[in-house]
Amino acid sequence: MLLSRKRRLLKWAVLLFWVAVTAVAVPLASRLPDVVQANSSAELPRGAQSTRADELASRFPDGGLAPGIIAYVRPSGITPADRAKADADRRALAAVAAGPIAAPAPSGDGKALMLTVPLRDDDTLSDQAAELRDRSRVDAPPGLDVHLTGRAGAALDVGDAFEKVDKRVLLATIVLVTAVLLVTYRSPVLWLLPIVNAAIALQVTGAAVYLLGEHAGLYVADGTSAILNALVFGISTDYALLLLARYREELRRHEDRHRAMAVALRRAAAPITASAATVSLGLLCLLAARMGFNYALGPIGALGVIGGLVVVMSLLPALLVVLGRWVFWPRIPRYGDPAPTRGLWDRIGHRVAARPRLVWVGGLAVLAALSAGCLGISTGLDRAHFLTTTPSSSVGERVLAEHYPGGQSRPLQVIAEDPAPVAAALRQHPGVARVGTPQPSTDGRLARLDVVLSSPPDSEAAKGTVRDLRRTIPDATIGASTASAIDLADAQSHDRRVVIPLILGVVLLILVALLRALVAPLLVIGTVVASYFAALGASWLLFQHAFGFPAVDIQVALMGFLFMVALGVDYNLFLVSRIREEVAEAGHHAGVLRGVGLTGGVISSAGLVLAATFGVLGLMPVTMMMQIGVLVSLGVLLDTFFVRSVIVPALALDTGDRFWWPHRTRTALPTTAGGSRDRSRAKLEH
C-alpha cells in the first residue's frame, strides 16, 4: 500500500519537475542561434595548412577580414554611368567596410568592374554581406548586371538558405510525425504525447547546447540545428512508441496501471537505453574527426539523444499513468483482454520461416544489386552546387572568371618568413596568373602574398597547381580558396578512415554486452552495413538521374553511415532483444516468430517516423543536407521493412541456437491454455 501511494505521488512530482525545467529551457533554447559560429573559418579541419594560414591571419593588419566582391558587368562594355555607379557604391559602403576600399578594378576586355570591400569575418558576416548586396542593386543603370561574390557572398547565400527553411523544416517534421502517429494509433489523443515529449526534449537539448556554447566554448556549426531537430524528434518519438507498445501489453496483464507501467519500464529500459548508448557513443566517435562540422555534431547530437532518452523515460510514464487507460481510446486495453490476433508481421514471419536460407540469400542478393549503384560514385561538390538552387555568389564567380584570371574572386594566401624566394617561385609556376605585393605582419616576422591562379578555384587544374606549389615551396603555408577545398576533402577522407571503424567497434561492443552473444551482433551489424551500401547506391542513382547532381557532397558518406548504422542497429536491437526474451520462454523457433510478430508493428511505425524526420531535410536548399536526408530516409525504410523484417529473422531461424553463441538460452515451459505463460511471468517478477 505504501509503495503504491509513493508511485501515485511520484508521477505528480515528475510532472511538476518537467514543467519547471521546460519553463527555464524554452527561453534559453531560443537563444541557440546566438552561439552558432557562422564565420567562414569555422569549418576548416584541424592541423591543415589552410587552418594554419587562417590562424596566422590575426598577425596581419587585415587579419580577420573577408572580401565582399561586387562584380559590375555589361556585355557591350562598361559605360561612364557604370563607372559612376561603382564609385558611388565605393563611397556609400565605406561605413560598412572594415578597411579602406580600393578603386574599382576594370577587366582587360573593358566589360567588367570589380569592387572589393573588406568585411569583418565574424558571426555578422552574412548581415554585412546583405548590406553590400542591397546597396549595390540600388540605382543600377539599365543593362548593368551586378553580382555579389567572394567569401562574403558565399556566407550570405548559406545564411539565406538556412534562415528561410529552418522553421518550415521543423513545422514539416511535426506535421509528418503527427500524420504517422495518427495512422498508427487512430486515437484523437494518444498521438499528442510523443509529440509533446519530443518537443520538450528538443527545447531541453537546445538550452543545454546554448549554455555549453556560451559558457564552455562548445563549437556550434551552421546547419547543426537542422540535423538536431531531425535526430531529437525522430529518436524521441521512436522511444515513445516502443514504451507505449510495451505499456499497452502490460495493461492487459495488470489491473493497476501503475504496476503495468513499472513492469513496462523495467522490460523496455534495457533495449531503449542500449539504443541511446549506441547512437550517442556513435556520435561521440566524431570527436576523432578533423572536419569542423563533423567534430561539432558529435557532442551536440549525443546531448540530443540523451535528452530524448531522459524525457521519454520519465515524463511520458508520468503523463500516461496520470491520464489513465482512456488515453488509448477508442482501442482501450483492458485487464484480462486476450493478446491481439495474428497480424501482418506474424504472417510475414511464418512465410520467412518456411524457407529461411532462401530468404536471406535472396535478400542479400537484392542488397548487392542496389549496392552496385555505388560503382563510379563521385564525391565532392563545387561551390556552384553547394545549394540545390544556383547561388548568387557562384553566378558572380563565374562572371568574374569570364573577364578576369580564374582565381580572381578567391585568391590563395601564401604566408612565409622570407617572401622574396617564395614570390619568385610562385611567378615561375605556369598555373599562377598574378602574385600580389608582400604584406608584412604586424610583428614583422611574416609576409603574406595573395596569389591568383590561372584556372577557376574549383577546377582540377587549380587543385593540381596548389598541390604542386606545396611540394615545391615547403617553407610556405598555403591556405584559403582552392587550398581550403583540398584540405577539407583530405580531412573528410581521414574521418571516413578513422571514424567509421570506431563506430562499428562501439556498436559491436554494445550489442555483445546487451545480447551476451557474438554471432547475433556480427550478423546484425553485417546486415546494417549491407543496407547502408544498398541505400547509398540507390541514392546515388537518384542524385544523378532524378536531381541532376554531378557528385555527392563529401560529408554525406560519413554522416549517412553514422546515422544509418547507429539508428539501423537500433531497430535490430529492439527486435533481437525481444526475440531473446521470447526464446527464453518458448524456444528458439517459436521465440523468433513471436518476437517478429510482437515488434513488427511498433518498429515499422518507428521507422516511418524516423524516415519522415530525416526525409524533411530533403526540403532544404543546402545540397549536403538534402542528400543526407534522402540517404538516411531511404536507408531507414530499407532497413525497417526489408532487412529487419525479412533478412534478420531469416538468419536467426537458419542459424538456430548458434545465433546466440557462445551464450546458451534457457527455455521455459511452453505456453498452455489458461495463461501459464502469464503465471510464469508473474513468478519471475516476484
Side-chain angles (χ1 to χ4, degrees), residues 85-436:
K85 163 63 176 168
D87 288 333
D89 287 348
R90 179 192 180 196
R91 293 190 295 271
L93 294 171
V96 181
I101 305 175
S107 63
D109 58 10
K111 297 179 180 180
L113 293 170
M114 182 173 62
L115 183 66
T116 303
V117 182
L119 300 174
R120 297 183 306 280
D121 187 7
D122 55 22
D123 293 343
T124 66
L125 180 59
S126 180
D127 295 332
Q128 299 173 68
E131 291 191 48
L132 264 65
R133 178 192 59 190
D134 296 342
R135 178 64 187 86
S136 62
R137 291 177 177 176
V138 174
D139 299 329
L144 180 67
D145 296 327
V146 182
H147 304 280
L148 175 64
T149 185
R151 287 165 63 185
L156 178 59
D157 287 337
V158 175
D160 283 349
F162 282 113
E163 182 179 356
K164 290 176 182 176
V165 298
D166 263 355
K167 292 182 180 178
R168 282 183 292 177
V169 165
L170 181 58
L171 179 61
T173 301
I174 295 173
V175 170
L176 280 175
V177 171
T178 299
V180 173
L181 293 176
L182 283 171
V183 171
T184 299
Y185 290 117
R186 296 190 289 276
S187 167
V189 179
L190 190 59
W191 66 270
L192 189 59
L193 297 186
I195 294 290
V196 168
N197 277 262
I200 290 175
L202 189 58
Q203 294 300 311
V204 170
T205 302
V209 173
Y210 165 73
L211 291 173
L212 291 173
E214 181 71 16
H215 303 292
L218 179 68
Y219 168 41
V220 184
D222 240 342
T224 304
S225 61
I227 291 184
L228 188 64
N229 289 345
L231 180 64
V232 174
F233 248 92
I235 210 159
S236 299
T237 308
D238 280 2
Y239 294 163
L241 287 170
L242 292 163
L243 181 59
L244 279 167
R246 202 64 195 248
Y247 179 51
R248 189 197 291 268
E249 283 185 45
E250 300 303 330
L251 283 173
R252 299 189 189 99
R253 301 188 178 106
H254 300 276
E255 187 172 6
D256 181 9
R257 65 181 186 274
H258 298 84
R259 175 63 177 165
M261 177 55 72
V263 175
L265 275 173
R266 185 168 67 249
R267 294 189 180 278
I272 291 178
T273 303
S275 164
T278 300
V279 182
S280 57
L281 290 176
L283 283 160
L284 289 176
C285 290
L286 291 174
L287 291 174
R290 289 180 180 172
M291 285 282 288
F293 184 85
N294 297 347
Y295 183 83
L297 184 61
I300 292 174
L303 283 172
V305 173
I306 294 170
L309 173 70
V310 172
V311 171
V312 170
M313 296 300 282
S314 57
L315 176 59
L316 181 60
L319 285 171
L320 286 169
V321 294
V322 165
L323 294 173
R325 295 174 186 262
W326 72 268
V327 76
F328 289 92
W329 185 87
R331 297 187 295 173
I332 301 176
R334 305 291 186 184
Y335 173 59
D337 282 353
T341 56
R342 182 178 174 185
L344 172 65
W345 294 105
D346 288 291
R347 293 193 294 272
I348 291 175
H350 281 82
R351 286 183 177 273
V352 170
R355 308 209 40 198
R357 183 165 303 176
L358 179 63
V359 168
W360 71 257
V361 170
L364 291 181
V366 171
L367 295 181
L370 291 173
S371 300
C374 295
L375 299 175
I377 192 170
S378 177
T379 59
L381 291 169
D382 55 24
R383 287 163 62 95
H385 292 91
F386 182 78
L387 302 179
T388 55
T389 55
T390 302
S392 177
S393 60
S394 294
V395 174
E397 188 172 294
R398 186 173 64 248
V399 167
L400 285 178
E402 294 173 358
H403 302 282
Y404 296 88
Q408 183 73 49
S409 62
R410 287 191 286 150
L412 291 176
Q413 292 182 351
V414 181
I415 301 174
E417 294 182 357
D418 186 359
V422 171
L426 288 168
R427 291 190 181 97
Q428 292 174 3
H429 198 285
V432 174
R434 194 186 71 205
V435 179

Side-chain angles (χ1 to χ4, degrees), residues 7 42 52 79 85 101 118 177 191 206 298 345 435 451 468 477 626 674:
R7 284 175 178 164
R52 175 61 177 160
T79 66
K85 163 63 176 168
I101 305 175
V177 171
W191 66 270
W345 294 105
V435 179
V451 178
D468 193 37
T477 300
M626 182 266 190

